[in-house]
Amino acid sequence: MSALNIKKGSTSHSAYDLRDPYAEVIESHTLAVIVANESGVLARVIGLFSGRGYNIDSLTVAEVDHAGHRSRITIVTRGTPQVIEQIKAQLGRLVPVHEVHDLTVEGPAVQRELALIKVAGKGESRIEALRLAEIFRANVVDSTLESFVFEMTGTPDKIDAFADLMRPLGLREVARTGVAALARGL
Amino acid sequence: MTKANASAMTGAKMIVKALKDQGVEVVFGYPGGAVLPIYDEIFLQNDIRHVLVRHEQGAIHMAEGYARSTGKPGVALVTSGPGATNAVTGLTDALLDSIPLVVLSGQVPTFMIGTDGFQEADTVGITRPCTKMNWLVRDTAQLAETIHTAFHVATSGRPGPVLIDIPKDVQFATSEYVTKEKIKVPHYQPKVKGDVEAITRLVELLETAERPVFYTGGGVINSGPAASQLLRELVEATGFPITSTLMGLGAYPASGKSWLGMLGMHGLYEANLAMHGCDLMINIGARFDDRITGRVADFSPHSVKAHIDIDPSSINKVIRVDVPIVGDVGHVLEDLLRIWKSRGRKVNKEGLAKWWKQIAEWKAVNCLDYKPSEKTIKPQYALQRLEALTKGMDRYITTEVGQHQMWAAQFLGFEAPNRWMTSGGLGTMGYGLPASIGVQIAHPEALVINVAGEASWLMNMQEMGTAMQFRAPVKQFILNNERLGMVRQWQELLHGERYSHSWSESLPDFVKLAEAFGCKGIKCEDPKDLDDAIMEMIRYDGPVIFDCLVEKHENCFPMIPSGKPHNEMLLGEAETQGVIKAGGAVLV
Ligand SMILES: Cc1ncc(C[n+]2csc(CCOP(=O)(O)OP(=O)(O)O)c2C)c(N)n1
Ligand SMILES: [Mg+2]
């Protein structure tokens, strides 16, 4: 019953296929979400991501304004441009959310993460680990005769790179804080 | 010891006072251990009426019916644990249909939280995804402010259900009452005025469009009666055709000359083809739901789309639009009309004339046509008679979910907003009976009819007890096909006529059931008796269960199968063989 003679060039077969066929690029965005520091707010934010099937690559949260009871949640997420816009709109309409900033589009931003990295080893590999730590400006915050704990801050990529180098040298454990990020300048 | 203050009171007293200060007249509820202090306070006063339901799900749907028919928030009160979990379906229903509700739940005392105490449930955890916002109040000093904030949140912006979980010790403890004027201004203040530049851009499009269509939804109703009035003015002044979602029926009158009827999966042929063929789509307070769009990639392929919505997350969620306008429908329409008038009230008359000619051809298809019968009552016929015999009365309609719901939307005409209450987003069987009671409590003199399917109706039939106790003369008009009709229809079309568990055996004798509840039962199976039976139902001063035995295997048409575009619509039995391919079968 083609009452209107309309050409169909669709590749989608599902009413639920909401992906934009023209913008299948997946982008990573860092969002700063300023929320009222009330119980349940973090659960609401996380529930939004899990309930609607959005990705969380990293999430950090801490109170940043004690007097104003404000917390800052920094979320690194991935998706098509349309999904990223949805995520921001969905976050923005949560009642306890005060502000949503997309640091990836609002201008240059600095991103830092802190990691503690435990490496065990003796002999050559132990010396090599220490040498690399110096290059990466990682500090030794604990050492025994068989192990180091390095502390380093940097972008997530830098931490990934360092951890990868440590793997053959005796990497045991990594603890990471997740990303904190701020826009550059005023 | 602190000095006793004049405005100090127990948490329980505070709750009742806060409700009064918020103008609450009725609370739908069910008591239990964790809310007994509140019930004590309810006992001691006469301003707020409490309607005792038979199941907490019923309380929430009643509150929804009350809210949708009055425009005011509905209020419900439930106990902890099972009381709260029974409320979950209703909360989800209200969330999906954007209905303002304030639900109060009791909780075990604060010092027992986390111990798996008797009737303890993580109510704020369970209801977080099905509320617009919820709160656990741990301190009586926060209670009044939280309740006032809750009313603000439920009714501002895109309305929705909120829940306040109140531990029993918080109800007993005393503190200072905070009036609603004294609370600090909540930061939650959604934007209601639309961007004037975007509105002007839409006006420019209105001036030149050749094939425009208004696609309206529940947002118009939620915006209030003034929004419906402005919509009517806009439609009359421009002469554009208008269609509406299930949720928006009544905002524009069904008797209006620009009315195309409902659109969507079971919408009218002319409405869906107008959506498909338009060059300008003006979405006012609707959300491009999958029941409306069909296959997204083929949705209205040649139109410029404008979207007015108070919720920014509705914009570009499913369908990319060209002119997004975030704001309250009433405010935006006011500006739209003003700007359009000030620019000379221009429309493309020639284009419109051709467009209406095309629409007239589509209308001539007469898509709601069905094969009449002298022997059995066709469900469509039953609704046509109901419509004819109740038209012009002070009438409110609720429905359950299924074929009967779609037929009701197709065959009943709504002339005003807030007269049609149906579970749209969640599709909750069991909604209609309690909703009808909520409507009737708000409008005691009106004729309130629940158009029901027998299967849905059984889901909350215990609420007939509530109707009897509170003298709510609701009319339960059951289109009894002895089938889960809508499921059966899908099985016929999608699953090779394998009717797996889609019929009801051992149905109750509805007339005897009515007698058991103490109300009136009417049974009708001959089309010739139908008018008299309907009149008997209307005239009876009290609740009625009307068992209308209808054709068992009638299908609801038109139908756009899942995953199909608007211009691939099924109109009748002949076209239904093997129409839905595997790709469509996975959809709901
Ligand atoms: C709570 C709930 N369970 C299941 C469904 C799925 N469902 C949708 S319509 C329907 C059949 C409804 O039967 P009935 O109320 O008799 O209405 P009819 O379609 O026969 O008019 C079912 C089972 C639902 N919508 N809600
Ligand atoms: Mg049925």
Side-chain angles (χ1 to χ4, degrees):
Chain A
M1 150 129 357
S2 240
L4 295 163
N5 208 5
I6 284 164
K7 199 174 128 265
K8 283 183 223 78
S10 150
T11 50
S12 164
H13 299 287
S14 162
Y16 292 89
D17 191 353
L18 309 181
R19 288 167 302 163
D20 182 349
Y22 307 106
E24 276 306 311
V25 284
I26 303 289
E27 299 175 353
S28 172
H29 283 238
T30 303
L31 309 179
V33 189
I34 311 300
V35 302
N37 186 13
E38 295 161 5
S39 73
V41 176
L42 184 60
R44 217 167 244 285
V45 169
I46 291 172
L48 169 69
F49 277 75
S50 62
R52 293 185 185 266
Y54 306 142
N55 294 296
I56 298 181
D57 286 341
S58 160
L59 183 142
T60 65
V61 56
E63 190 172 74
V64 290
D65 172 3
H66 293 290
H69 297 289
R70 300 288 169 87
S71 290
R72 184 180 179 104
I73 303 176
T74 308
I75 304 171
V76 182
T77 182
R78 254 175 307 125
T80 61
Q82 192 184 359
V83 166
I84 298 285
E85 286 311 307
Q86 253 304 293
I87 291 173
K88 288 189 271 182
Q90 292 288 352
L91 284 168
R93 78 186 186 125
L94 295 182
V95 174
V97 168
H98 289 264
E99 295 165 38
V100 179
H101 296 283
D102 185 341
L103 297 176
T104 305
V105 300
E106 285 180 12
V110 281
Q111 282 201 16
R112 286 295 178 271
E113 184 173 7
L114 184 142
L116 296 173
I117 296 155
K118 184 177 284 179
V119 180
K122 287 183 176 166
E124 255 319 293
S125 57
R126 182 173 164 85
I127 293 163
E128 182 62 10
L130 206 54
R131 215 175 56 78
L132 286 167
E134 216 163 287
I135 294 169
F136 275 79
R137 296 182 203 287
N139 300 319
V140 176
V141 292
D142 176 71
S143 71
T144 68
L145 291 175
E146 281 125 41
S147 68
F148 291 119
V149 174
F150 296 115
E151 171 209 39
M152 74 179 296
T153 54
T155 61
D157 286 352
K158 182 180 164 188
I159 294 170
D160 286 345
F162 183 68
D164 283 347
L165 286 171
M166 289 301 115
R167 198 152 287 124
L169 301 176
L171 181 77
R172 282 294 168 84
E173 258 185 296
V174 182
R176 299 171 68 148
T177 58
V179 173
L182 276 184
R184 290 180 188 270
L186 277 180
Chain B
M1 259 191 69
T2 50
K3 237 192 321 172
N5 191 298
S7 57
M9 59 182 81
T10 65
K13 204 178 195 69
M14 223 178 242
I15 291 165
V16 174
K17 180 161 171 52
L19 294 181
K20 266 183 220 169
D21 288 357
Q22 288 290 341
V24 174
E25 288 162 354
V26 191
V27 173
F28 302 93
Y30 206 84
V35 284
L36 284 179
I38 305 172
Y39 272 87
D40 254 354
E41 289 301 330
I42 289 173
F43 187 80
L44 295 171
Q45 55 86 53
N46 286 314
D47 298 321
I48 295 178
R49 187 169 176 214
H50 179 275
V51 173
L52 176 71
V53 301
R54 298 299 184 267
H55 183 294
E56 289 85 352
Q57 184 187 353
I60 311 295
H61 293 324
M62 284 180 211
E64 286 187 276
Y66 180 92
R68 287 180 71 163
S69 65
T70 60
K72 296 192 272 187
V75 180
L77 171 60
V78 299
T79 192
S80 67
T85 55
N86 274 349
V88 165
T89 300
L91 289 168
T92 311
D93 192 89
L95 185 72
L96 281 179
D97 284 348
S98 306
I99 310 303
L101 297 185
V102 175
V103 177
L104 308 172
S105 57
Q107 181 55 279
V108 300
T110 49
F111 53 84
M112 278 180 69
I113 289 178
T115 65
D116 299 322
F118 178 63
Q119 296 194 327
E120 178 182 0
D122 176 8
T123 300
V124 285
I126 291 168
T127 61
R128 196 170 284 125
C130 59
T131 53
K132 183 176 174 185
M133 185 62 191
N134 61 8
W135 300 264
L136 168 64
V137 181
R138 290 169 174 279
D139 181 356
T140 310
Q142 300 295 318
L143 187 53
E145 173 155 5
T146 306
I147 295 172
H148 296 314
T149 304
F151 276 88
H152 168 76
V153 169
T155 53
S156 311
R158 182 177 181 169
V162 302
L163 177 139
I164 312 171
D165 200 26
I166 311 168
K168 198 171 182 181
D169 55 335
V170 173
Q171 300 169 31
F172 275 125
T174 52
S175 186
E176 201 83 3
Y177 180 76
V178 186
T179 62
K180 71 174 192 226
E181 292 75 25
K182 284 252 178 68
I183 68 164
K184 63 174 191 290
V185 183
H187 91 272
Y188 180 74
Q189 304 289 348
K191 172 171 167 237
V192 292
K193 291 285 277 183
D195 176 47
V196 174
E197 250 173 61
I199 295 173
T200 308
R201 171 92 187 93
L202 174 54
V203 169
E204 289 164 10
L205 293 167
L206 295 183
E207 290 169 346
T208 55
E210 290 178 1
R211 303 184 310 279
V213 66
F214 288 115
Y215 150 43
T216 60
V220 185
I221 313 268
N222 272 339
S223 180
S228 292
Q229 212 41 57
L230 288 161
L231 176 72
R232 289 163 187 225
E233 196 189 323
L234 181 67
V235 174
E236 297 322 328
T238 56
F240 291 1
I242 173 170
T243 178
S244 162
T245 66
L246 183 73
M247 292 296 294
L249 298 177
Y252 182 81
S255 60
K257 70 177 196 318
S258 301
W259 179 236
L260 300 182
M262 181 179 77
L263 82 160
M265 185 176 267
H266 292 289
L268 272 66
Y269 184 69
E270 49 269 36
N272 285 328
L273 287 193
M275 289 287 282
H276 194 84
C278 66
D279 69 345
L280 173 64
M281 178 185 296
I282 308 131
N283 173 343
I284 308 178
R287 61 180 175 90
F288 295 109
D289 179 82
D290 57 73
R291 298 292 99 158
I292 297 307
T293 60
R295 189 197 297 168
V296 167
D298 293 327
F299 177 68
S300 191
H302 301 303
S303 59
V304 172
K305 299 176 184 72
H307 187 182
I308 302 168
D309 202 303
I310 197 155
D311 180 356
S313 79
S314 286
I315 289 177
N316 292 333
K317 180 173 69 177
V318 178
I319 296 292
R320 179 149 312 166
V321 297
D322 306 282
V323 186
I325 301 170
V326 175
D328 166 60
V329 168
H331 285 81
V332 173
L333 289 186
E334 202 178 341
D335 287 344
L336 184 72
L337 268 166
R338 199 192 59 230
I339 296 169
W340 178 72
K341 284 179 187 165
S342 73
R343 288 169 52 113
R345 299 165 162 265
K346 285 182 284 232
V347 293
N348 182 339
K349 289 220 175 72
E350 257 169 67
L352 275 177
K354 266 197 234 158
W355 184 222
W356 274 112
K357 234 177 102 208
Q358 166 71 83
I359 290 170
E361 282 172 30
W362 290 331
K363 278 194 172 171
V365 166
N366 200 8
C367 69
L368 294 183
D369 206 22
Y370 62 92
K371 221 190 279 155
S373 163
E374 304 225 309
K375 287 202 200 69
T376 56
I377 301 176
K378 289 286 184 136
Q380 300 96 324
Y381 177 73
L383 287 165
Q384 282 176 323
R385 294 318 302 155
L386 185 73
E387 169 74 354
L389 295 170
T390 61
K391 200 151 196 78
M393 293 185 178
D394 181 13
R395 180 188 82 178
Y396 292 81
I397 302 285
T398 68
T399 76
E400 302 288 347
V401 171
Q403 291 179 316
H404 63 276
Q405 176 190 30
M406 294 298 114
W407 281 315
Q410 292 172 343
F411 286 91
L412 303 180
F414 298 94
E415 297 297 315
N418 304 101
R419 297 268 169 173
W420 162 249
M421 275 56 54
T422 192
S423 172
L426 194 65
T428 311
M429 291 171 69
Y431 168 89
L433 164 51
S436 71
I437 297 171
V439 173
Q440 188 83 74
I441 295 286
H443 309 276
E445 305 302 326
L447 173 64
V448 182
I449 304 171
N450 175 31
V451 175
E454 81 295 338
S456 297
W457 192 82
L458 289 174
M459 284 209 176
N460 271 322
M461 68 158 192
Q462 75 285 349
E463 300 305 335
M464 284 312 291
T466 309
M468 288 305 297
Q469 184 172 343
F470 294 89
R471 298 179 192 284
V474 289
K475 314 301 181 204
Q476 304 301 316
F477 192 66
I478 303 176
L479 296 176
N480 184 354
N481 52 13
E482 297 174 17
R483 300 288 181 280
L484 311 183
M486 190 57 94
V487 172
R488 193 206 55 76
Q489 176 167 347
W490 280 56
Q491 288 172 334
E492 180 181 324
L493 300 179
L494 281 116
H495 293 269
E497 301 179 46
R498 291 181 295 280
Y499 298 120
S500 180
H501 298 273
S502 56
W503 72 94
S504 315
E505 257 166 37
S506 313
L507 281 167
D509 177 328
F510 286 100
V511 173
K512 282 192 185 146
L513 191 63
E515 283 161 14
F517 277 112
C519 63
K520 185 174 184 61
I522 299 173
K523 181 173 176 166
C524 184
E525 50 190 329
D526 188 334
K528 285 188 285 300
D529 301 334
L530 186 60
D531 277 22
D532 285 346
I534 290 176
M535 286 317 294
E536 191 186 354
M537 171 182 87
I538 296 169
R539 289 200 189 107
Y540 183 73
D541 183 18
V544 177
I545 302 175
F546 190 118
D547 184 11
C548 187
L549 290 164
V550 295
E551 167 65 46
K552 297 185 198 333
H553 293 151
E554 193 74 12
N555 281 335
C556 182
F557 294 113
M559 176 178 184
I560 302 174
S562 283
K564 293 277 186 178
H566 280 177
N567 59 343
E568 294 185 31
M569 205 178 316
L570 309 177
L571 285 181
E573 306 289 349
E575 305 167 49
T576 60
Q577 291 309 313
V579 285
I580 302 174
K581 306 270 161 12
V586 301
L587 302 174
V588 288

